[in-house]
Amino acid sequence: MPSFSSPTWITTLLTVVVSSLVTLALLLPFSLGSPKSKASHSRKIIPSPRDTQLPFLSRGQASALPYPPDILPGARDVDSPYGVMRVYEWGPEEGRKVVMVHGDTTPAPLLGPIAKALVERGCRVLLLDLWGRGYSDTPLDVPHDVRLFTMQIFFAIASSRLPWTGATSGGFSIIGFSLGGGISMSFAAHFPYLLNSIILLAPGGILRAMPNEYESIFFRYPSIVPSRYLRKLVGKVLGVDLAGVPHSGTELKRTILSQADAKVPGKSKSMETRALNAPDAVQWQFDNHQGFIHSFISTIQLGPITHQQSDWNKICNIIKGESMGMPGSSLSCKIYNSKILVVFGDSDGVVVGKDVSEDLVQMLGGPEHVEFKTVPGGHGFPLPSSDEVVKHISDFWKLEVVD
């Protein structure tokens, strides 16, 4: 038996190590894939109806869809590492810049009437379909959490030919509805210097409880459920038509799409094109966006709907004028020691205004830094009650219609 200090033992050890390294080097290309094959699989996405439906329709057929691709002005498709996303941007180039973020179910045009009214009042608006909704792809290998949606906002503003960040941009304001409210507050918590103002419409983020239908164990562990059954489960939650049988009796369906929310306005004073029919758009999205169910479930699991108190406390400390940690930093932050506007629906059973307002006032150390308003409707109020919402926003920002 050779000594551990003998040259023979050292030579043997080196031979074994070198041989192992050579073997590993030879096996790595097979286990990891060649650079070419790795690059070709770098983006795992499910394409939106932009690629799977629109190419097979005439312009007239596309215009007749529940979500026509030209429903809002300034449409563009933006490529990114996570897929292609739909963005709308229009309005006076020198106007107040406003990013608008929709909720977890209905795509960006739900906020169309509000956006168009803001443009009439001199604003430059930017709306985006969140991942897996509308005409935005679904990234499969990325969790749908606040990090993904925060990056999506950056992709959207970076694709503009106008500056939305930087010293010469003037910053921008943000309006978030439902899930978009949670996204907006988390975005503000990490990038407060970019913002001028925050407005929340029935915001998610600090809900005390998820809607009952969202609490299904199958949503927490979707990998154990056959895809066909998972699709039916999501369909029942959303109240869409499954095999010709509408599940209109579900609690969430009644909350979101019934009463005022299911009444589509005829011709709003601020509309240039026909309004979105929310139930029809949700049905179309469910039927035609092959990645919607994946994005919807991943968002329920990981999105900023509940338990976002850390980010909310962080931005609330800035809004109420507490120290930002660096000398002089508050001077360049326009939302430092400011006020936010929060609007609720008077019959909303998803985002309970009383609960959210109590928790938000506590985070802000009192009511001085927040203004609460209530409008008619359930959780889908931004569409049927758009005129009331616009009035509150206009009063808060001191906007007037521009001739």
Side-chain angles (χ1 to χ4, degrees), residues 211-330:
N212 291 335
E213 290 88 345
Y214 285 15
E215 293 292 348
S216 170
I217 190 172
F218 299 127
F219 286 158
R220 298 182 185 182
Y221 306 100
S223 60
I224 68 175
V225 184
S227 58
R228 178 178 295 183
Y229 179 77
L230 199 59
R231 178 178 175 81
K232 290 182 179 179
L233 182 63
V234 173
K236 289 180 180 180
V237 167
L238 298 179
V240 299
D241 190 334
L242 289 171
V245 181
H247 294 272
S248 57
T250 64
E251 181 180 349
L252 195 63
K253 171 76 169 187
R254 290 196 301 271
T255 302
I256 298 179
L257 301 179
S258 67
Q259 301 174 357
D261 303 288
K263 298 176 183 177
V264 181
K267 188 76 173 179
S268 170
K269 291 178 289 186
S270 63
M271 292 297 291
E272 298 171 2
T273 59
R274 63 188 175 94
L276 185 79
N277 182 305
D280 287 351
V282 172
Q283 181 73 56
W284 167 85
Q285 186 173 249
F286 180 82
D287 290 339
N288 296 282
H289 197 312
Q290 299 171 14
F292 168 69
I293 293 176
H294 175 89
S295 291
F296 179 76
I297 293 175
S298 184
T299 303
I300 290 176
Q301 291 177 305
L302 304 167
I305 301 174
T306 60
H307 308 302
Q308 301 301 303
Q309 280 77 4
S310 176
D311 278 351
W312 282 57
N313 277 315
K314 185 175 181 179
I315 186 58
C316 283
N317 287 340
I318 295 173
I319 293 169
K320 66 184 179 183
E322 290 193 354
S323 173
M324 298 183 66
M326 293 183 295
S329 59
S330 61

Side-chain angles (χ1 to χ4, degrees), residues 25-243:
L26 291 173
L27 289 176
L28 275 175
F30 296 98
S31 61
L32 299 180
S34 65
K36 181 177 179 180
S37 64
K38 185 177 181 180
S40 66
H41 294 84
S42 60
R43 295 202 307 183
K44 296 180 180 179
I45 65 170
I46 298 177
S48 77
R50 180 199 63 257
D51 291 334
T52 62
Q53 185 182 39
L54 293 184
F56 306 100
L57 302 179
S58 67
R59 179 171 297 183
Q61 289 172 325
S63 182
L65 291 173
Y67 178 0
D70 59 352
I71 191 171
L72 296 177
R76 64 176 180 265
D77 295 316
V78 178
D79 194 15
S80 81
Y82 302 114
V84 178
M85 56 181 280
R86 170 58 59 94
V87 174
Y88 301 95
E89 180 185 352
W90 79 101
E93 295 187 1
E94 68 282 359
R96 172 194 282 266
K97 296 184 177 73
V98 183
V99 170
M100 305 180 70
V101 189
H102 67 82
D104 65 338
T105 303
T106 311
L110 178 78
L111 301 175
I114 298 174
K116 293 184 179 189
L118 292 179
V119 169
E120 292 173 355
R121 288 157 178 76
C123 296
R124 177 82 174 184
V125 298
L126 185 151
L127 293 77
L128 60 151
D129 282 340
L130 294 174
W131 296 119
R133 284 81 173 177
Y135 291 109
S136 290
D137 294 340
T138 290
L140 280 174
D141 53 350
V142 182
H144 285 52
D145 59 15
V146 71
R147 296 169 297 177
L148 179 67
F149 294 125
T150 294
M151 286 304 302
Q152 190 175 11
I153 293 175
F154 276 115
F155 294 149
I157 62 178
S159 69
S160 175
R161 61 184 180 82
L162 301 181
W164 285 69
T165 63
T168 62
S169 70
F172 61 91
S173 302
I174 194 164
I175 299 176
F177 163 60
S178 190
L179 167 67
I183 294 171
S184 298
M185 286 293 274
S186 289
F187 182 92
H190 298 285
F191 306 102
Y193 300 98
L194 301 181
L195 299 179
N196 297 327
S197 183
I198 302 170
I199 292 178
L200 306 175
L201 311 178
I206 56 171
L207 301 187
R208 295 180 182 177
M210 294 278 274
N212 291 335
E213 290 88 345
Y214 285 15
E215 293 292 348
S216 170
I217 190 172
F218 299 127
F219 286 158
R220 298 182 185 182
Y221 306 100
S223 60
I224 68 175
V225 184
S227 58
R228 178 178 295 183
Y229 179 77
L230 199 59
R231 178 178 175 81
K232 290 182 179 179
L233 182 63
V234 173
K236 289 180 180 180
V237 167
L238 298 179
V240 299
D241 190 334
L242 289 171

